Amino acid sequence: MSFPIEQIRQMFPVLHQEVHGKPLVYFDNAATTQKPQSVIQSLEGYYLHDNANIHRGAHALADRATRYFEDTRETVQKFLNAKESAEIIFTKGTTESINLVAYTFGRKFIQTGDEIIISTLEHHSNIVPWQMLCEEKGAILKVIPINDAGEILYEEFEKLLTSKTKLVSVVHASNALGTINPVKKIIDAAHAVGAKVLLDGAQSTSHLEIDVQELDCDFMALSAHKLYGPTGLGVLYGKREVLETMPPFQGGGEMIKEVTFEKTTYNDIPFKFEAGTPNIGDVIAFKYAIDFLTEIGKSAVKAHEDSLLTYANELLSSVKGFIPVGTAKEKVSVLSFNINGMHPFDVGVMLDAKGIAVRTGHHCTQPLMKRLGLEGTVRASFAVYNSKSEIEKLAEGVSQIARIKNK
Ligand code: PMP
C-alpha cells in the first residue's frame, strides 16, 4: 500500500497556509513538529468539558480528568514498551527529564572522582546538567569523540569506560546531524562496568521503533512537542528498580504520602517525581499524538522519511556549492548542510522568502559545531507529513540560492 500522504496532510491544519505568498513547506520538524487536528480537538475538548484538578477529586470532572490523564500514561508505556505505567513520569520536556536525573540520581549516586560519559553529538541539555553536577561533586565528564561523518568512535567509547563510570548519557538520534547512535551496544557495554544509561530520545522517538525493555536503558527522556504533541510536556522513563532508589526531585503536593512538620513520607513512583499540579490538558492531548503515530506505524513512518532523505540527498548533491554536514550511515531524516561562501542564517532567510521553513545555526550543539569546524548549518528535518514535491521545492530553492555564490 502506498503511503497515505495526502490523507495525513489533511490532518494538519497549520500546513495549509501561505507564507510570503508561497505555500508553506515546513522543514523545521527537529525543532518542533506540527500537531494533528485530533490533538488540537482534545485540548479544546478538555477545557470545554473536563477541566479539573486530578487525583483525589470527589466529583465527576476530577474523576474524568484523572482517568484521561492516566490513560496517556498507559499509552506512553505501550509506546515505549515499558514494563509498567509507574515507570512513566511526566515532565516539562527532555530538558527537565535529564535535569531530574542529574538532581536526583546524580546527587545521590555520583561522588568525587566518579565519571560520567556523554558524546560529542549531544544537545546542550545533555551536556550542561552533567557539567553542573560534576562541578558540584568533583566528578569527571568524559566525551566520546566522533569521526568526520558524525558517527561516534565506538572503540574510543570502550576505552573511556572504567569502574568509575557511573552514568553514560547519550543522544539516541542527533538533532543537528541525524546520526543514530549504536545505543544497544553502548548500553550493554556500560552495564558491564556497572554504569547506568540515559538515552536522550528527543529526536528518536518520533522516527524509530522504541522498546525500552529490549534496549535495557535505565532512563529515556523525550519531548511531546517533537512527537506531534503539545509543547511544555515530556516524559522520563526510568526502570522501577532505579527510580525507587532515587530521592524526589521537587517537594510539594502530589509527591507525598504524609506530611507532618517533623517528617514527610514520599509517594510511590511515578507520583514521587511529579510534585504540584501537572500539565493536565496537554498530557491528555498527548495520547492523541501517540495514537496518530501508532496508527500509521513506525516502520511505515521510517520508510517514508528515509525515502524523503534519500531523495533530498540525490537532488541536492548535484547542486554546485552544496556541502552536506553529517553523513553517518544510520540516520533519521535530518539534512544538515551549508552552501559554499554563504552564512547559514542568510540561506535560511532566503528559503523563508520561498515559503520554506528550516532552522539555521548551531542547533544547541556548540561543541559539535566546534568539532566540525563550523559556525552552524542549515537544517531541513523531515516529518511524516512532508512530501516529495516539497523536497523538490527545497532543492530548487537551494539551487537558486547557491547560484548567487557558486557560478
Ligand atoms: N535533546 C535533543 C537531541 C533535542 O533535539 C532537544 C530539542 N531540540 C532537546 C534535547 C531538548 O528538548 P526540549 O527543549 O523539548 O526540552
Side-chain angles (χ1 to χ4, degrees), residues 14 17 45 58 92 102 123 246 257 268 274 277 287 293 299 303 318 342 347 360 399 407:
V14 78
Q17 62 174 295
K92 278 195 321 204
H123 187 279
M246 288 157 48
K257 265 201 176 121
D268 298 326
E274 293 180 350
T277 301
K287 175 185 186 298
L293 256 189
S299 57
S318 62
M342 298 191 80
V347 177
T360 67
S399 154
K407 292 243 162 73

Side-chain angles (χ1 to χ4, degrees), residues 287-298:
K287 175 185 186 298
Y288 293 86
I290 297 177
D291 286 349
F292 159 76
L293 256 189
T294 309
E295 259 167 49
I296 303 171
K298 284 276 190 72

Side-chain angles (χ1 to χ4, degrees), residues 266-287:
Y266 303 128
N267 208 338
D268 298 326
I269 63 162
F271 309 111
K272 180 168 119 181
F273 297 104
E274 293 180 350
T277 301
N279 191 349
I280 304 166
D282 288 325
V283 167
I284 291 172
F286 185 33
K287 175 185 186 298

